[in-house]
Amino acid sequence: MSSTFNLLNKYPWLPSLKDYYSEIASKDPSEFVSEAFSNEFSDELKKRIIELFKAAFDNLEKVSDYKTDKLNIYAYLLINILLYVLDNQMIANRIANLYSKITYDQLIKEKNDYPIYDICQNLGLKVRYYEPPISYGKIIRKREGEYQDLKTNFTIHFIDYLKLASNLRDEYRKLVHNSISGGYVFIQKKRIIRLIQEYVRNKLLIKKTEDKASLKSFLEKILEIQGFKDLFNKILNAWTERKEEFEYVFKINLDDKEDLLTLYPPCVKEILRKAQEGQNLIHNERLFIVWFLLALNYPVEKVVDLFSTLPDFDREKTTYQVKFAKKKQYTPYKCLTLKSLNLCMASSYKDELCLEGYGSKEPSERKKLAHPLAYTQIKQYRASKWKNNTNKQLGKENE
Amino acid sequence: MSNTGYLKRLFQAYYKETGVEVPVVSLFNKREFGFIPWDKQIIMKRHMSFKDHANLAKYLTNEGPRHVYSSGSIYLQPDNTDMNNKQYQGCDLIFDIDVDHFYTPCKNEHDIWYCMECGENGTGMLKKCPKCKKLKIKSLTWICEDCLNIAKEELMRLIYRFLIPDFGIPIDQMKIAFSGHRGYHLKIENKEIRTLSSEERREIANYVSGNNISLDILGLTKINEIIYGLLGNNIGWPEKIINKIIEILQQYSDDRIRLLLTKFGLHKDIIRSFLNSKSDFLQMISQNKDNIWNIEGFGLKNWSTFLNGIISEISIEIDEPVTIDIHRLIRYPGSLHGKTGFKVQELYPDDLDDFNPLNELNEKLDPIVFKSKKQITQKLEVLETKVPATKIKGELFGPYTQGEKIEVPHYFAIFLLCKEVAKTI
């Protein structure tokens, strides 16, 4: 078997799947499902897919005993079909995150650089490979205070780099913090793997289907295939069991009495929305949400849970960072800083308190909101005042 | 005849005479066009397209518009009024360098401001009144060879310090134009670059303008009370920063360094300490062996102030929204600028060195098109309280004050009329 076939078994999301496995990958989807469930391996296939979905619903970061044989191709294609018919953004995000993490682990385990280079070629990325590695500077190791040469075997064209990295929006990945020369960005192997992970994640993220009628008729057709129907129902059942946890994951109450979500400013709501959907958060978004929630005395483990849906989540690292932030007692960004960081969502959410201020009914006498924590304080004050007034009103009526 | 009526007729005549010479931009019939007519109320007519150059020339001759624009984007339906239905196909990468957006010392000479709240006035570039602190400022911005030179230098640095060495963009993919007023446009026409999203363009804009640089990520750090600075052999911004520091230390006099560091916001005692250690510091950063930055009085805060100042010296003053926005219209090359009467002049990168828009000797590149061999002059009355002195074609005109009656060459008269500071008499 040639190395490309091996590569595709391991990484079935590669574009050349259609060329090398055209008998599977170019088949009509319903015919493909029918064939997949009439084969002797259908039970194993079902088992692998169920395991993957359950692991994703459990927010795990890997699947035990992940196999990279030809069945992996069937599994990948079926996962795509399932995500289409399930038509659920939250599930798609979970699967995309887990699957891309598995890919990352596989790529990291590669013993040499050639598969990475081959994958980049297969993806049509303009990547250059250097042997021996080229030097592009040196850094100082913060802990040891020692110098380390910056060397790499890889450079990637800036257009490909931007297309893969701009979604990550992490400070270190910003072009301005990278070495670029003659149109090529110097990039470490680990980071190029992280970019490939992001490519895989995006590939699995489905767009919301507009044509619901076609989806419905396709689903009806493939549900006639008993093996698929069993698999589909098992996934739905597993989802129904866990659904509630996902939907209420951010409704953490400070005093278990009131829903704080209504008291959050739009900048906070937006970050929570992104996290809930499993979208990536930029560095500043992460810092801000941690500092904000810690300022409201959120328990560390609840704050860590918030990040568990993110594609690059590492519980140990996150717990350390959140604990460190709690110890340091950082103040969350003020409104002015949030604006300069493009994190202010007052206009997008058309939030009255943010846009029009507070303190008076007279617009010219209103004070401008300067800090997101003040937003929560004011909202809390207003809510308690409203509650008291309502109670008084009820009291009077009872009298 | 009103000023605008007169100018419209002049523009029409210009386009009638030279319409066929107005260049054809690439993918012409896939570009959206926009025009601002000479009406009192400034409303842009956009979502227009032309199937060929002859139709555009005809439109320009008939309408003689005040401003002419075309899109950096290409669309399958450029004239569709709904942006979502235009069928966007990609956008050229555009850089706009306009002295309106940044400080130049000559603005203290020729840009005049009036406070509409308290009546205070003065010269220079400011946002709020220094007396009453209100923001109701009316400005009369002007041009001179100095500020246009600064804009040109910014453009050349953009090309030769960033786009070619860092981004590897071939020079033949760059289309350059003098905007006809206070700056230059650079358009990169490249199939792959056209596919970049706004967010991806923002990364490029941030790179060339040095925005949001984290000095910590570039290497400025404190370990066990020792401050480590940047290293010059780190390709990218660290290398640019170190090279700039070396250039300053080697070429600037102490007085010039003192002025620069004061501009950065450093205290005079800190500056004195820096100057005392200048030679040792230069030797250390030139050798690139280690980066222990040890100058008395410099902690992380002062080094950050210093380095941010250096970054501002290196970065390019681009109008970022222009680079990021994929639906923006930019001035059409060869058209006339309604605020000056000058032509939007296309240039080759090789032309830039010698190009002087206010006194261009190469006839083919001269943006001042309303010249006459017969040395025609025109009589005008000055409307604006103060009109700064202007040097055009080697001749100095003004300054003028309100009510003054003047007789000036035709091209300068059109400039004053376009600037709306005078009227014909």
Side-chain angles (χ1 to χ4, degrees):
Chain A
M1 191 182 266
S2 84
S3 62
T4 310
F5 281 101
N6 281 333
L7 203 65
L8 285 167
N9 286 344
K10 232 175 187 178
Y11 308 113
W13 38 266
L14 285 170
S16 66
L17 182 75
K18 282 195 171 149
D19 304 326
Y20 284 80
Y21 282 101
S22 60
E23 80 282 2
I24 309 174
S26 302
K27 208 168 235 160
D28 171 77
S30 53
E31 271 180 47
F32 167 76
V33 175
S34 172
E35 190 204 296
F37 286 97
S38 58
N39 268 324
E40 70 279 5
F41 54 70
S42 65
D43 284 343
E44 171 66 14
L45 183 62
K46 261 194 272 183
K47 193 182 136 226
R48 285 191 196 179
I49 293 176
I50 279 287
E51 246 176 53
L52 184 91
F53 274 82
K54 280 191 172 168
F57 297 162
D58 287 341
N59 222 1
L60 299 180
E61 278 139 60
K62 54 177 92 172
V63 172
S64 58
D65 195 24
Y66 184 78
K67 291 191 183 74
T68 56
D69 51 16
K70 192 180 169 185
L71 204 53
N72 202 27
I73 296 176
Y74 281 87
Y76 172 74
L77 294 170
L78 257 179
I79 288 165
N80 274 286
I81 292 172
L82 278 162
L83 292 181
Y84 169 67
V85 292
L86 285 163
D87 193 25
N88 182 318
Q89 209 67 43
M90 221 179 263
I91 296 179
N93 281 325
R94 295 271 163 158
I95 293 294
N97 288 349
L98 175 60
Y99 199 92
S100 64
K101 276 177 192 168
I102 293 169
T103 304
Y104 180 87
D105 290 342
Q106 294 295 322
L107 288 166
I108 285 287
K109 279 185 211 156
E110 293 289 353
K111 289 193 178 85
N112 61 53
D113 294 342
Y114 303 121
I116 312 297
Y117 181 72
D118 287 346
I119 284 169
C120 292
Q121 294 293 311
N122 208 310
L123 292 173
L125 302 176
K126 278 190 188 168
V127 167
R128 287 178 179 167
Y129 186 76
Y130 296 87
E131 187 61 60
I134 45 169
S135 170
Y136 59 101
K138 55 183 176 180
I139 50 162
I140 185 139
R141 282 203 195 123
K142 283 203 175 171
R143 282 185 195 162
E144 297 91 345
E146 283 171 8
Y147 293 102
Q148 184 192 343
D149 282 338
L150 286 169
K151 282 184 177 176
T152 183
N153 299 93
F154 293 95
T155 61
I156 180 169
H157 194 265
F158 80 92
I159 295 179
D160 289 329
Y161 179 81
L162 288 178
K163 283 184 182 293
L164 291 169
S166 66
N167 265 351
L168 299 171
R169 295 188 293 169
D170 166 324
E171 287 294 309
Y172 282 87
R173 289 183 183 91
K174 279 185 173 171
L175 198 58
V176 80
H177 296 135
N178 279 274
S179 297
I180 172 171
S181 176
Y184 281 79
V185 180
F186 294 79
I187 187 164
Q188 296 287 328
K189 180 178 160 185
K190 205 172 172 184
R191 290 184 56 204
I192 216 165
I193 290 174
R194 178 70 184 91
L195 295 185
I196 296 171
Q197 180 195 350
E198 189 59 12
Y199 167 87
V200 174
R201 198 176 76 86
N202 284 324
K203 206 168 165 161
L204 279 164
L205 284 176
I206 47 157
K207 279 189 184 144
K208 220 163 171 53
T209 314
E210 298 287 333
D211 188 357
K212 299 282 179 196
S214 298
L215 191 153
K216 198 181 162 207
S217 75
F218 175 69
L219 180 61
E220 278 167 4
K221 196 173 169 188
I222 54 172
L223 280 178
E224 285 168 14
I225 302 159
Q226 194 53 45
F228 181 82
K229 193 178 175 182
D230 291 346
L231 175 66
F232 184 76
N233 286 335
K234 273 187 183 166
I235 291 170
L236 271 189
N237 287 340
W239 173 243
T240 314
E241 276 173 29
R242 307 302 307 271
K243 201 171 127 188
E244 219 164 285
E245 284 175 39
F246 289 115
E247 285 174 357
Y248 293 99
V249 72
F250 298 119
K251 293 189 177 178
I252 316 163
N253 298 336
L254 255 189
D255 54 5
D256 291 327
K257 279 175 195 161
E258 56 185 347
D259 176 10
L260 269 180
L261 203 61
T262 56
L263 310 178
Y264 292 148
C267 45
V268 172
K269 279 184 192 156
E270 177 66 8
I271 298 173
L272 292 180
R273 184 193 67 77
K274 280 187 183 173
Q276 190 161 20
E277 283 182 7
Q279 286 189 38
N280 222 337
L281 297 180
I282 61 168
H283 185 62
N284 282 322
E285 284 172 332
R286 291 172 195 226
L287 291 183
F288 170 62
I289 197 73
V290 168
W291 296 345
F292 182 86
L293 295 176
L294 290 178
L296 292 179
N297 272 330
Y298 263 52
V300 167
E301 61 274 22
K302 293 279 184 195
V303 179
V304 173
D305 280 345
L306 182 100
F307 292 97
S308 63
T309 52
L310 304 191
D312 55 354
F313 177 65
D314 178 330
R315 184 168 291 275
E316 203 182 322
K317 225 189 248 179
T318 312
T319 308
Y320 169 79
Q321 285 161 344
V322 175
K323 277 185 180 167
F324 185 77
K326 191 175 171 70
K327 198 171 117 192
K328 289 275 176 182
Q329 294 192 320
Y330 293 115
T331 315
Y333 297 135
K334 56 187 178 188
C335 294
L336 212 61
T337 315
L338 288 165
K339 271 183 195 146
S340 74
L341 294 170
N342 271 339
L343 298 182
C344 171
M345 289 290 138
S347 301
S348 313
Y349 279 68
K350 295 191 177 77
D351 190 282
E352 208 183 301
L353 178 54
C354 290
L355 295 171
E356 291 170 19
Y358 65 99
S360 169
K361 282 180 183 167
E362 192 55 50
S364 60
E365 289 170 14
R366 280 186 200 145
K367 287 179 196 163
K368 270 194 171 180
L369 203 74
H371 203 283
L373 283 174
Y375 183 102
T376 304
Q377 278 174 338
I378 293 166
K379 282 273 178 176
Q380 212 161 19
Y381 169 75
R382 283 182 184 174
S384 67
K385 205 173 162 191
W386 183 84
K387 220 186 221 169
N388 287 342
N389 287 345
T390 316
N391 287 343
K392 274 183 197 165
Q393 197 70 33
L394 283 173
K396 273 183 192 169
E397 277 170 18
N398 287 339
E399 279 168 18
Chain B
M1 187 187 286
S2 70
N3 279 355
T4 51
Y6 171 65
L7 291 169
K8 182 178 176 176
R9 264 189 35 204
L10 273 175
F11 276 38
Q12 283 170 318
Y14 171 78
Y15 287 125
K16 191 176 179 185
E17 201 178 312
T18 63
V20 283
E21 288 170 25
V22 170
V24 184
V25 293
S26 65
L27 300 160
F28 179 83
N29 55 7
K30 288 184 176 156
R31 307 275 181 184
E32 179 195 348
F33 279 79
F35 303 94
I36 294 180
W38 288 96
D39 303 342
K40 213 168 188 182
Q41 206 180 355
I42 297 172
I43 298 171
M44 185 192 264
K45 288 184 187 172
R46 59 181 298 182
H47 309 301
M48 294 174 73
S49 71
F50 297 92
K51 65 175 185 205
D52 55 36
H53 178 248
N55 274 296
L56 171 66
K58 197 173 154 193
Y59 181 88
L60 295 177
T61 308
N62 288 342
E63 303 294 326
R66 191 173 195 167
H67 303 285
V68 184
Y69 306 91
S70 73
S71 63
S73 294
I74 46 177
Y75 305 100
L76 291 183
Q77 286 187 32
D79 53 356
N80 199 308
T81 51
D82 185 342
M83 291 309 281
N84 297 321
N85 294 332
K86 279 187 187 290
Q87 297 185 55
Y88 172 78
Q89 301 293 297
C91 181
D92 297 325
L93 182 65
I94 298 165
F95 295 96
D96 177 19
I97 292 170
D98 191 323
V99 280
D100 251 354
H101 294 106
F102 57 94
Y103 172 78
T104 58
C106 55
K107 285 184 178 178
N108 295 334
E109 306 289 324
H110 59 58
D111 280 9
I112 301 167
W113 58 265
Y114 304 91
C115 176
M116 307 301 282
E117 194 72 31
C118 70
E120 184 77 355
N121 64 74
T123 57
M125 187 188 189
L126 46 81
K127 280 181 185 161
K128 64 179 175 184
C129 174
K131 190 177 166 192
C132 71
K133 312 287 178 207
K134 294 277 163 61
L135 296 165
K136 286 184 182 170
I137 297 286
K138 184 189 156 206
S139 316
L140 176 66
T141 56
W142 217 247
I143 47 174
C144 73
E145 282 187 8
D146 288 350
C147 52
L148 289 177
N149 250 332
I150 291 173
K152 189 175 80 174
E153 277 163 21
E154 287 291 301
L155 176 73
M156 290 175 77
R157 286 199 308 113
L158 172 67
I159 296 171
Y160 297 107
R161 299 281 174 93
F162 286 88
L163 297 180
I164 293 176
D166 294 358
F167 291 91
I169 294 169
I171 204 146
D172 59 1
Q173 292 180 358
M174 299 179 197
K175 299 273 183 271
I176 300 164
F178 166 61
S179 74
H181 193 198
R182 295 169 62 102
Y184 291 83
H185 301 148
L186 189 153
K187 193 161 81 163
I188 296 165
E189 296 186 348
N190 170 298
K191 222 174 161 184
E192 285 165 328
I193 287 180
R194 277 194 187 125
T195 64
L196 291 172
S197 68
S198 273
E199 210 44 53
E200 289 150 11
R201 284 161 202 261
R202 187 189 298 277
E203 289 281 307
I204 298 174
N206 279 342
Y207 187 91
V208 301
S209 58
N211 276 351
N212 302 319
I213 289 186
S214 158
L215 293 170
D216 177 44
I217 292 178
L218 292 195
L220 179 68
T221 187
K222 190 174 178 180
I223 304 168
N224 302 330
E225 299 307 309
I226 299 169
I227 290 179
Y228 293 87
L230 313 190
L231 281 157
N233 48 8
N234 284 359
I235 296 173
W237 266 94
E239 186 182 33
K240 287 181 197 297
I241 291 169
I242 296 298
N243 286 345
K244 186 72 194 175
I245 299 172
I246 292 173
E247 180 196 316
I248 290 168
L249 294 178
Q250 283 177 341
Q251 297 175 15
Y252 288 22
S253 66
D254 279 8
D255 280 348
R256 199 170 163 202
I257 293 175
R258 194 173 288 114
L259 268 177
L260 189 70
L261 299 195
T262 307
K263 189 178 94 181
F264 292 174
L266 289 168
H267 190 268
K268 61 178 184 188
D269 296 339
I270 297 294
I271 297 172
R272 194 182 307 123
S273 166
F274 182 83
L275 287 170
N276 288 340
S277 309
K278 198 179 86 172
S279 309
D280 292 342
F281 186 55
L282 173 63
Q283 197 186 356
M284 194 262 298
I285 60 169
S286 306
Q287 283 174 348
N288 253 327
K289 278 184 187 158
D290 66 47
N291 57 337
I292 297 171
W293 286 13
N294 182 20
I295 293 183
E296 200 188 332
F298 273 82
L300 272 184
K301 199 178 163 205
N302 280 332
W303 278 123
S304 296
T305 308
F306 173 75
L307 289 172
N308 282 322
I310 297 289
I311 289 169
S312 67
E313 293 293 299
I314 304 166
S315 60
I316 310 294
E317 296 277 6
I318 58 164
D319 186 3
E320 281 199 57
V322 176
T323 303
I324 294 162
D325 187 353
I326 52 171
H327 295 298
R328 183 135 330 199
L329 301 180
I330 56 161
R331 279 184 192 280
Y332 194 82
S335 67
L336 297 176
H337 195 304
K339 278 186 184 167
T340 55
F342 298 164
K343 184 170 72 166
V344 180
Q345 180 62 52
E346 273 198 318
L347 300 160
Y348 288 109
D350 287 349
D351 298 328
L352 275 174
D353 244 344
D354 297 330
F355 180 67
N356 178 358
L358 296 184
N359 193 16
E360 178 54 42
L361 303 175
N362 181 348
E363 187 63 29
K364 283 183 184 165
L365 299 181
D366 192 356
I368 300 175
V369 292
F370 292 110
K371 295 170 300 224
S372 75
K373 283 174 188 161
K374 293 175 192 164
Q375 305 289 320
I376 300 171
T377 57
Q378 213 163 331
K379 286 180 180 162
L380 303 175
E381 182 184 333
V382 175
L383 298 172
E384 191 67 36
T385 320
K386 286 179 197 166
V387 173
T390 320
K391 197 176 171 190
I392 296 190
K393 294 278 164 213
E395 206 177 331
L396 189 68
F397 301 99
Y400 305 118
T401 49
Q402 198 171 41
E404 204 173 327
K405 292 191 172 53
I406 57 174
E407 188 168 353
V408 292
H410 186 51
Y411 61 85
F412 187 60
I414 290 166
F415 174 76
L416 292 179
L417 292 172
C418 283
K419 277 284 200 185
E420 296 177 312
V421 296
K423 64 174 184 181
T424 50
I425 43 174

